[in-house]
Amino acid sequence: GGGVGSFAIQYCKNVLGMYVATTASASKSDLVKGLGADEAIDYKKTKFEDVVKNYDVVLDTVTQEYEQRTMSSNVLKSGEGHYIHVLSSDWEPNSQEGNLLEIAKPFLRKWGYSLIADLLGLGVYYHCNPVSPDAQGLRSIASWVDAGLIKPVVDRSFGLDEVAKAHEYLEKGHARGKVLIEIGTITE
């Protein structure tokens, strides 16, 4: 129901044609289903690993909580499932971010899990590539938006003089899509 999740649901469903299950609070269930999710699991009442089994891919935008639960369950198909870790999705800086070993852990996991999946056909493939700007990727997204496959979800907009207020709102973690800062008006 946030910015990454609302895009990912639409991309997986409308562009890739995948069956999509997602976690969301009950208050965001209608939103995620409206975006294309086939299944919305209320994470406050149900552990996703109790109902999601043998999936091809997991996109985890809440890695601090979901990674271990995903990797120690049967959520993904053994030997062929793909776990995608969205790097640095937390708001608050933490003590681990200054520790080089802590920063390297996702990349070490990627190497270790994927090596076991390749060589032994066990476990899952682990992905944690940092996002970087890509002109062709942005052109593809724009074409999907133009075709109606992806609909940007905007929770609310704030004026440039309300940046602090926008940050306060985002830090509460209840945004339903993206929060925008309006810099000026666009005239056509």
Side-chain angles (χ1 to χ4, degrees):
V4 174
S6 62
F7 174 84
I9 290 166
Q10 295 177 83
Y11 175 73
C12 291
K13 186 66 177 182
N14 301 333
V15 177
L16 300 178
M18 301 172 94
Y19 179 89
V20 177
T22 187
T23 56
S25 63
S27 66
K28 291 185 180 179
S29 180
D30 287 342
L31 170 66
V32 298
K33 285 183 177 178
L35 294 172
D38 297 289
E39 191 174 347
I41 302 159
D42 183 350
Y43 66 86
K44 293 181 180 180
K45 294 181 180 176
T46 306
K47 290 184 175 182
F48 69 89
E49 64 270 31
D50 291 343
V51 294
V52 174
K53 304 288 183 200
N54 295 311
Y55 274 60
D56 295 310
V57 178
V58 165
L59 172 65
D60 184 353
T61 63
V62 193
T63 54
Q64 296 82 5
E65 296 179 36
Y66 286 8
E67 179 180 339
Q68 183 57 38
R69 290 169 51 193
T70 301
M71 302 304 274
S72 64
S73 66
N74 292 322
V75 170
L76 286 163
K77 291 179 182 175
S78 185
E80 56 187 277
H82 294 264
Y83 173 81
I84 303 170
H85 167 158
V86 175
L87 293 172
S88 189
S89 62
D90 61 350
W91 279 99
E92 295 295 322
N94 61 60
S95 60
Q96 295 177 348
E97 290 177 347
N99 182 331
L100 289 178
L101 183 58
E102 289 298 324
I103 293 170
K105 276 184 181 179
F107 299 101
L108 295 172
R109 285 189 199 110
K110 173 183 177 176
W111 178 80
Y113 280 115
S114 297
L115 182 66
I116 291 168
D118 274 340
L119 295 179
L120 304 176
L122 302 171
V124 300
Y125 294 91
Y126 188 106
H127 307 271
C128 63
N129 300 327
V131 176
S132 58
D134 169 20
Q136 180 54 45
L138 291 173
R139 281 191 290 278
S140 294
I141 292 169
S143 73
W144 300 326
V145 169
D146 290 344
L149 297 172
I150 305 285
K151 293 180 176 77
V153 178
V154 177
D155 179 285
R156 63 176 62 171
S157 298
F158 291 87
L160 187 56
D161 60 332
E162 300 176 297
V163 170
K165 190 174 177 182
H167 275 279
E168 287 174 21
Y169 178 73
L170 279 171
E171 289 171 358
K172 292 178 183 174
H174 301 296
R176 298 169 63 96
K178 294 308 242 178
V179 172
L180 304 181
I181 303 296
E182 293 181 19
I183 296 174
T185 57
I186 298 174
T187 57
E188 292 186 34

